[in-house]
Amino acid sequence: KSFMEVDQTPGDITIIMYSPGGDVDLAISMYDMIKSSSNHVSVIGAGLVGSAAILPFVAADVRLMQPNCKLF
């Protein structure tokens, strides 16, 4: 079993993301964790979602944005 399957809880996962970017290695790690999850993952963009933060944002099954959220 993978790491994600060992400690998996049932139900949807919702991530609220506000990040102007940051560490690419961390963003790739978040992307991999979201993609390997068997749970339904939604991401809500709030404020700024930029640079490296785009990777986990696009990894989700559902991507939502607040009205004034900016992707860059």
Side-chain angles (χ1 to χ4, degrees):
K1 290 187 174 185
S2 73
F3 172 74
M4 290 293 288
E5 292 172 332
V6 172
D7 193 27
Q8 197 69 280
T9 56
D12 296 343
I13 298 170
T14 302
I15 301 168
I16 299 173
M17 182 174 291
Y18 174 87
S19 176
D23 188 351
V24 175
D25 292 331
L26 175 61
I28 292 170
S29 175
M30 290 177 65
Y31 178 92
D32 288 342
M33 294 298 275
I34 291 169
K35 283 299 195 185
S36 65
S37 174
S38 60
N39 295 68
H40 184 267
V41 180
S42 300
V43 174
I44 301 171
L48 302 174
V49 179
S51 188
I54 294 291
L55 291 172
F57 185 80
V58 300
D61 299 313
V62 174
R63 293 167 296 281
L64 304 169
M65 294 172 54
Q66 291 183 334
N68 294 314
C69 179
K70 294 183 181 178
L71 301 178
F72 65 93

